[in-house]
C-alpha cells in the first residue's frame, strides 16, 4: 500500500511538472517519444513482413520441395552460366519420381504462362496467369474454393476442357452471376469453369490465386509444349507426414541423380528448392532492420534521457525545502529516492505511451493506404514500455540519489 501511495504521489508530481512547464517537459519527452516510436515501428514492420512471408510460405507448403533448373537464392558469386546449361524438369523426371519415391505424399508437374487475356462473351480480363498442373496439385499447394471444386482424377487423365479460376478473374468476367458451369475462352479454346478460388490478396512473394486460371496438365499438353523452358516447368514434392523434409530431399536428390544418370562426383544438374531457403535469406535482412531501428531509437531515447535528467535536477532544486520538511518528519532516504525515481519513470512512460499511440495510428494509415495489416503485438507494446521504464530509471537515479542525501536542515533553509 505504501508503494502504491508513493507511486500515485510521484505520478501526480510528474503530471504537475508537465502541466506547469508544458513546453520544457514536452521537448524533453520528445526524445523518448521518438525513440520508442522508432523502435516499435521498426519491430512492428519486421513482424508484419515476417508474418506476410510466412503466409506466402504456407501457400507454397513448408514441407514441399521444388525440383527446378534454377536455385531460388544465391550470393554475389552466383554461377548463372553454369545453371543456364542445366535441363529443365521433364515429364520423364516427374513420372520416374512418382513411381520410385517412397517418402513423397504427393507430386505434381506444373507450368506457368504469364500475361494472357481471358474472355467471356464481351467481358475480358488482361494479365491473367495461366497455370497447368497434374492431378496432385491440390495436395502440394494450399488453397480453398469460394465456389465449385477441384478437378477429378478422370478429368485430369483425359485432359478435360475445364478450369478453376481466381477470385478476381471470376469477379470481372461474371460480375452478376455464378461462374461455375460457364465457358470462358483460354488460349483460343473454350473451357468450362468448375471452381473459383477464394480471395487471397497480394502477399510479399507475389503469390496469389486471384488472377490465376488453372488447367489440367493433359489439356494444356494438347495446346502447347509443356516441357518448354519458357513455361517454367517445375516438379513439386510434398513429403509424407512424420518424415523430416531433409530425408525427403535426400531421397529426391538420389532419385534425380539416378534418373539423369549422373556419375558419382558429378555435380547435380538440378536444384532442390525449399521455402526455408527464402525465410533464412530474409531472416538476415530482418535482423539488420531490427538492429538498425534499435540503434536509431536508442540514440533518440538517450537524448530524451538527458532531457528527463535535466527536468529531475530542476525538480529537485525547486522542491529542496519540501524534501527537508519530509526528512525532518521522519522520511527515510529510500522514500525520497523512490519518490523522484518513480517520477522520472512516470515521465518516461508518458513519452513511451505517446510513441506507442503514434505507432497505433500509423497502422491504420498504412492499412488504409496500402491494404496491409500491420502487426502491433503485445510483445512490442511490452518492449516499448520496458524501454521507457529503463530510460526512466537511468535518467532519474542520479537526481533521485542527490535528493535523498540532502541534509534536512540545509534543505529547509533553501528558498
Amino acid at each position: 500500500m505504501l508503494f502504491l501511495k508513493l507511486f500515485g504521489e510521484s505520478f501526480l508530481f510528474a503530471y504537475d511538472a508537465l502541466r506547469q512547464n508544458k513546453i520544457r517537459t514536452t521537448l524533453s519527452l520528445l526524445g523518448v517519444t521518438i525513440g520508442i516510436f522508432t523502435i516499435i515501428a521498426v519491430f512492428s514492420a519486421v513482424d508484419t513482413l515476417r508474418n506476410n512471408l510466412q503466409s506466402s510460405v504456407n501457400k507454397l507448403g513448408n514441407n514441399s520441395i521444388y525440383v527446378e533448373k534454377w536455385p531460388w537464392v544465391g550470393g554475389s558469386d552466383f554461377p548463372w552460366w553454369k545453371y543456364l546449361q542445366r535441363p529443365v524438369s521433364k515429364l520423364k523426371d516427374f513420372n520416374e519420381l512418382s513411381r520410385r519415391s517412397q517418402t513423397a505424399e504427393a507430386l505434381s508437374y506444373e507450368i506457368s504462362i504469364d500475361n494472357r487475356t481471358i474472355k467471356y462473351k464481351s467481358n475480358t480480363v488482361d494479365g491473367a496467369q495461366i497455370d497447368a498442373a497434374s492431378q496432385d496439385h491440390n495436395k502440394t499447394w494450399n488453397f480453398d474454393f469460394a465456389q465449385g471444386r477441384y478437378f477429378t482424377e478422370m478429368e485430369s487423365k483425359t485432359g478435360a476442357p475445364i478450369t478453376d479460376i481466381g477470385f478476381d478473374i471470376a469477379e470481372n468476367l461474371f460480375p452478376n452471376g455464378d461462374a461455375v458451369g460457364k465457358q470462358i475462352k483460354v488460349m483460343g479454346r473454350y473451357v468450362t469453369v468448375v471452381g473459383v478460388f477464394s480471395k487471397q490478396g497480394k502477399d510479399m512473394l507475389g503469390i496469389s490465386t486471384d488472377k490465376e486460371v488453372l488447367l489440367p496438365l493433359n489439356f494444356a499438353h494438347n495446346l502447347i509444349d509443356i516441357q518448354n523452358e519458357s513455361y517454367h516447368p517445375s516438379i513439386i514434392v510434398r513429403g509424407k507426414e512424420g518424415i523430416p523434409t531433409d530425408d525427403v530431399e535426400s531421397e529426391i536428390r538420389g532419385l534425380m541423380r539416378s534418373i539423369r544418370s549422373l556419375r558419382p562426383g558429378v555435380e547435380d544438374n538440378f536444384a532442390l528448392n525449399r521455402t526455408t531457403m527464402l525465410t533464412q535469406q530474409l531472416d538476415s535482412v530482418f535482423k539488420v532492420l531490427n538492429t538498425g531501428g534499435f540503434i536509431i531509437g536508442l540514440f533518440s531515447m538517450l537524448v530524451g534521457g538527458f532531457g528527463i535528467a535535466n527536468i529531475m535536477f530542476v525538480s529537485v532544486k525547486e522542491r529542496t525545502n519540501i524534501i527537508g520538511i519530509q526528512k525532518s518528519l521522519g522520511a527515510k532516504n529510500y522514500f525520497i529516492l523512490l519518490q523522484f525515481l518513480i517520477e522520472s519513470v512516470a515521465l518516461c512512460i508518458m513519452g513511451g505511451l505517446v510513441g506507442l499511440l503514434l505507432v497505433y495510428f500509423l497502422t491504420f494509415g498504412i492499412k488504409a493506404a496500402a491494404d496491409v495489416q500491420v502487426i502491433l503485438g503485445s510483445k512490442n507494446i511490452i518492449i516499448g514500455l520496458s524501454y521507457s521504464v529503463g530510460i526512466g530509471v537511468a535518467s532519474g537515479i542520479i537526481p533521485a540519489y542527490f535528493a535523498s542525501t540532502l541534509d534536512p536542515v540545509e534543505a529547509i533553509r533553501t528558498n
Side-chain angles (χ1 to χ4, degrees):
M1 291 299 295
L2 178 62
F3 178 80
L4 291 176
K5 183 178 179 181
L6 180 61
F7 183 84
E9 290 179 353
S10 300
F11 190 85
L12 289 176
F13 276 125
Y15 175 75
D16 190 58
L18 179 62
R19 184 175 56 83
Q20 293 183 8
N21 305 282
K22 295 183 179 65
I23 296 178
R24 184 187 73 185
T25 309
T26 301
L27 290 175
S28 299
L29 290 180
L30 193 59
V32 176
T33 298
I34 294 173
I36 295 298
F37 172 81
T38 303
I39 291 175
I40 303 308
V42 171
F43 285 176
S44 296
V46 170
D47 287 346
T48 300
L49 290 174
R50 184 177 284 111
N51 183 71
N52 200 310
L53 175 63
Q54 189 59 52
S55 298
S56 301
V57 168
N58 291 340
K59 295 177 189 176
L60 292 171
N62 53 15
N63 62 337
S64 294
I65 297 170
Y66 292 72
V67 185
E68 297 174 325
K69 175 178 179 176
W70 296 88
W72 286 351
V73 296
S76 57
D77 56 345
F78 188 75
W80 58 268
W81 59 90
K82 184 190 303 182
Y83 301 140
L84 189 64
Q85 301 174 21
R86 289 178 172 179
V88 297
S89 296
K90 300 289 186 179
L91 282 174
K92 174 189 173 183
D93 302 330
F94 168 69
N95 292 329
E96 286 296 313
L97 285 176
S98 299
R99 185 175 65 86
R100 296 161 62 176
S101 177
Q102 300 296 313
T103 61
E105 176 71 26
L107 296 94
S108 64
Y109 186 92
E110 306 180 3
I111 63 170
S112 180
I113 310 170
D114 295 327
N115 296 320
R116 291 301 179 102
T117 300
I118 310 301
K119 296 182 178 181
Y120 174 72
K121 295 182 179 180
S122 61
N123 297 332
T124 61
V125 174
D126 296 321
Q129 176 181 315
I130 300 176
D131 294 332
S134 57
Q135 174 62 24
D136 282 353
H137 173 76
N138 64 327
K139 298 177 183 177
T140 55
W141 285 72
N142 298 323
F143 50 80
D144 297 311
F145 285 96
Q147 302 175 26
R149 59 175 177 82
Y150 185 64
F151 314 142
T152 65
E153 186 173 357
M154 183 59 68
E155 288 169 338
S156 292
K157 285 183 178 179
T158 60
I162 58 174
T163 183
D164 288 321
I165 61 176
F167 191 88
D168 289 351
I169 300 286
E171 198 172 52
N172 285 282
L173 292 182
F174 311 100
N176 300 317
D178 191 353
V180 175
K182 304 294 194 306
Q183 286 193 326
I184 63 175
K185 198 171 186 179
V186 179
M187 295 192 297
R189 296 284 295 273
Y190 285 100
V191 294
T192 302
V193 178
V194 296
V196 177
F197 296 117
S198 298
K199 179 73 174 179
Q200 289 190 343
K202 297 178 181 178
D203 60 26
M204 187 174 177
L205 299 180
I207 299 170
S208 177
T209 60
D210 291 345
K211 298 199 75 173
E212 179 183 12
V213 175
L214 181 65
L215 303 170
L217 185 68
N218 286 337
F219 174 77
H221 201 352
N222 298 324
L223 305 178
I224 57 175
D225 177 11
I226 59 176
Q227 299 184 102
N228 191 301
E229 184 173 355
S230 61
Y231 301 140
H232 317 294
S234 174
I235 300 171
I236 304 176
V237 183
R238 173 166 286 188
K240 293 179 179 178
E241 289 291 332
I243 298 180
T245 309
D246 288 341
D247 293 349
V248 179
E249 181 179 351
S250 178
E251 187 207 39
I252 297 301
R253 173 171 279 109
L255 291 177
M256 283 297 296
R257 290 184 62 86
S258 174
I259 293 167
R260 294 191 174 180
S261 302
L262 298 177
R263 298 189 304 274
V266 176
E267 188 177 356
D268 294 343
N269 63 353
F270 54 89
L272 299 182
N273 295 315
R274 293 165 56 177
T275 54
T276 51
M277 298 166 61
L278 300 175
T279 54
Q280 289 170 0
Q281 190 84 356
L282 289 172
D283 275 345
S284 60
V285 177
F286 294 151
K287 185 176 180 180
V288 172
L289 290 175
N290 272 333
T291 304
F294 174 77
I295 291 173
I296 294 171
L298 183 62
F299 277 111
S300 298
M301 287 187 1
L302 284 175
V303 173
F306 286 120
I308 297 297
N310 178 61
I311 290 178
M312 296 311 301
F313 274 116
V314 172
S315 182
V316 171
K317 184 69 174 176
E318 291 175 343
R319 287 154 45 193
T320 300
N321 58 342
I322 298 176
I323 295 170
I325 294 172
Q326 287 179 322
K327 298 191 77 172
S328 66
L329 293 175
K332 302 295 185 181
N333 285 355
Y334 76 86
F335 181 87
I336 304 297
L337 185 143
L338 282 177
Q339 186 180 58
F340 283 92
L341 192 60
I342 293 174
E343 182 177 340
S344 173
V345 170
L347 285 169
C348 285
I349 288 177
M350 288 179 187
L353 288 173
V354 174
L356 287 171
L357 194 63
L358 290 175
V359 175
Y360 180 71
F361 285 128
L362 181 64
T363 62
F364 286 102
I366 295 175
K367 173 67 176 176
D371 195 25
V372 176
Q373 187 66 46
V374 180
I375 298 174
L376 179 59
S378 57
K379 174 187 173 184
N380 289 337
I381 294 175
I382 292 172
I383 289 174
L385 294 178
S386 299
Y387 285 162
S388 298
V389 171
I391 202 71
V393 171
S395 303
I397 188 66
I398 295 177
Y401 177 76
F402 177 76
S404 68
T405 57
L406 287 174
D407 181 82
V409 176
E410 293 296 329
I412 292 173
R413 289 175 179 175
T414 303
N415 293 323

